[in-house]
Amino acid sequence: MQKIQNPELNQRGLGRAMHWAEILKDVELDVIYTTDYERTSMTAAPTAVKKELDVKYYEPQNVNIEQFKTDNLGKKNPCCWP
């Protein structure tokens, strides 16, 4: 079984993550979802900090889309980083 690589964002990726936080600054969000991969959680982090939101982690292979829709019904723009 091969170990899955889990690299962090490089400087360009960190810059893009900060850019996304700026783009989303005026968008109302109730929740931010991300996988536990370093790159995706590091991408979500600046937006979460700027919005003062906790990040919710999920495993993509285990997502029950109907439950996800029910859990987020009425929330403002749930934001996901896969």
Side-chain angles (χ1 to χ4, degrees):
M1 186 178 199
Q2 189 175 23
K3 183 178 178 181
I4 296 174
Q5 293 187 15
N6 192 12
E8 294 183 350
L9 287 176
N10 60 24
Q11 284 302 111
R12 281 183 38 205
L14 289 170
R16 284 192 296 268
M18 297 298 288
H19 185 68
W20 274 113
E22 188 62 26
I23 288 170
L24 295 170
K25 73 179 182 186
D26 295 325
V27 176
E28 289 188 56
L29 299 174
D30 287 334
V31 62
I32 294 175
Y33 291 96
T34 185
T35 63
D36 65 352
Y37 291 111
E38 290 293 328
R39 293 168 64 98
T40 55
S41 61
M42 289 175 74
T43 301
T47 301
V49 169
K50 190 174 277 259
K51 298 263 185 209
E52 299 181 359
L53 292 172
D54 289 330
V55 174
K56 293 189 178 185
Y57 292 90
Y58 70 96
E59 295 180 28
Q61 66 274 17
N62 295 329
V63 171
N64 176 327
I65 194 63
E66 292 306 318
Q67 186 63 51
F68 179 84
K69 290 191 299 190
T70 298
D71 292 346
N72 289 285
L73 188 63
K75 290 190 178 171
K76 296 175 186 146
N77 303 310
C79 191
C80 295
W81 273 276

